[in-house]
Amino acid sequence: NKLEWMRCSVGQVWEDGTCRGEVILLSVNEALEIAERLKNLDGGGWRLPKLHELRRLLTGVEKRPKDVVPNIDLGTFPNTFAGSYWTSDTSFYSKQYQWSLNFITGQRYNRFFPSQKLAVRMVRNYVLLK
């Protein structure tokens, strides 16, 4: 899809082949501030994903036991937070809400206020570095 994802959620670091540390839950404004700070990291361009982009990371929703692990490829995205992640999309129902995606249920929601704290995974358009 010509996208490059950060392997770890905001707050974690890639170390010894896995994501280590605690995921930081952020408001939308805080997430946008982090994206601005990452502007020049590894070529820049990091941003909040659109809802349709983030949904592509779901491994397929199926019946799972109650002690479910996040619904994502944990080999590629280890230690993913089992909960909701922000997207950059504002709800078309009401501009006061922001879209999010839950990685336990695979459900998308447009009922969160941007001031609420959710997990964040940054993305950027893939650019072939010369």
Side-chain angles (χ1 to χ4, degrees):
N1 297 317
K2 302 203 188 248
L3 295 175
E4 183 177 3
W5 293 91
M6 282 196 172
R7 290 191 83 175
C8 302
S9 302
V10 171
Q12 297 175 313
V13 295
W14 183 255
E15 184 178 89
D16 298 326
T18 193
C19 293
R20 299 200 186 280
E22 295 296 319
V23 174
I24 299 172
L25 303 181
L26 303 167
S27 68
V28 170
N29 282 341
E30 290 168 334
L32 294 173
E33 183 180 319
I34 297 291
E36 180 66 25
R37 289 182 186 184
L38 297 174
K39 186 164 62 174
N40 297 317
L41 178 70
D42 294 331
W46 296 106
R47 59 181 173 78
L48 277 174
K50 296 184 177 299
L51 179 61
H52 75 275
E53 293 169 337
L54 194 59
R55 286 186 73 201
R56 290 183 185 141
L57 297 184
L58 291 172
T59 57
V61 179
E62 62 236 18
K63 299 277 185 197
R64 292 180 183 227
K66 293 278 186 208
D67 60 344
V68 65
V69 295
N71 189 3
I72 192 168
D73 177 358
L74 291 173
T76 303
F77 302 103
N79 296 323
T80 291
F81 174 71
S84 293
Y85 278 73
W86 282 124
T87 74
S88 63
D89 294 322
T90 303
S91 172
F92 53 84
Y93 296 117
S94 175
K95 300 293 182 204
Q96 69 179 341
Y97 299 120
Q98 192 86 6
W99 281 97
S100 66
L101 181 71
N102 186 295
F103 275 95
I104 293 177
T105 64
Q107 296 295 312
R108 56 187 186 228
Y109 300 100
N110 68 341
R111 65 175 186 229
F112 286 104
F113 291 105
S115 60
Q116 289 178 262
K117 308 277 185 162
L118 301 180
V120 174
R121 184 178 308 278
M122 296 289 179
V123 67
R124 66 180 171 185
N125 296 337
Y126 179 78
V127 178
L128 184 61
L129 300 175
K130 297 178 183 180

